[in-house]
Amino acid sequence: VQLIQSGGGSVQAGGSLSVSCAASVPTYSNYRNYCMGWIRQAPGKEREGVARVDRYGNVTVAESVKGRFTISKDNDKKILYLEMNSLKPEDTAMYYCATDGVDMPPWTGCVEDRYWGQGTQVTVSS
C-alpha cells in the first residue's frame, strides 16, 4: 500500500485549505474496507489524531477540529480528503494520512496504522 499526499500550504487564520491522500493498493485488496485517517504533528508536540473513517464509513473527528474539518473517503477513486475551514494558528502542523491497510469485513475494528503518507505541511499565520 502506498499513500501519496497533496495539497496543504499556507494560509491566514480563518482561511481554508485541503489535503488529499491517493492510495495505491494491491489488486486483491479492497480499499473500501480500509480504516483511514488523518494525523498531525506540530513541532515539539505529540502526534494527534485529527479524523478517521472506519470500515463502515463512520467518521470520528477530534474535538479540537470538530465543526471546522471534514474528512471524506472516495472509495472509487481511492482518495482520502481533509477539508479544513476556519483555520487557526494552532492547526499548524505536518499532516499525515494513514491506514491500517487491512481488508477486513466492516464489523472488524480498526487496527494500528501500518501505512503512512509522506506528510504535508499546513501553516496558519495569525
Side-chain angles (χ1 to χ4, degrees):
V1 176
Q2 289 186 319
L3 302 177
I4 304 297
Q5 297 180 220
S6 59
S10 298
V11 69
Q12 289 190 323
S16 299
L17 288 171
S18 62
V19 287
S20 301
C21 175
S24 176
V25 308
T27 53
Y28 55 81
S29 190
N30 190 346
Y31 173 86
R32 186 178 300 272
N33 290 330
Y34 288 8
C35 290
M36 298 205 66
W38 290 99
I39 300 95
R40 68 186 181 185
Q41 187 164 25
K45 293 190 176 181
E46 294 285 322
R47 190 178 292 177
E48 177 188 17
V50 176
R52 177 164 290 273
V53 182
D54 70 12
R55 304 188 207 288
Y56 281 109
N58 296 323
V59 168
T60 56
V61 181
E63 285 296 323
S64 60
V65 304
K66 194 166 288 184
R68 300 187 297 119
F69 288 16
T70 302
I71 186 173
S72 59
K73 182 171 177 262
D74 187 325
N75 289 318
D76 292 327
K77 294 182 179 179
K78 298 185 182 65
I79 300 177
L80 184 74
Y81 301 96
L82 184 68
E83 297 288 335
M84 301 176 285
N85 298 312
S86 302
L87 281 160
K88 304 175 181 180
E90 51 263 44
D91 295 318
T92 295
M94 187 71 78
Y95 284 71
Y96 298 90
C97 63
T99 179
D100 60 9
V102 175
D103 181 7
M104 297 291 285
W107 54 85
T108 305
C110 298
V111 297
E112 184 178 1
D113 291 325
R114 293 192 295 167
Y115 305 97
W116 292 74
Q118 79 276 20
T120 303
Q121 180 66 39
V122 170
T123 302
V124 185
S125 57
S126 56

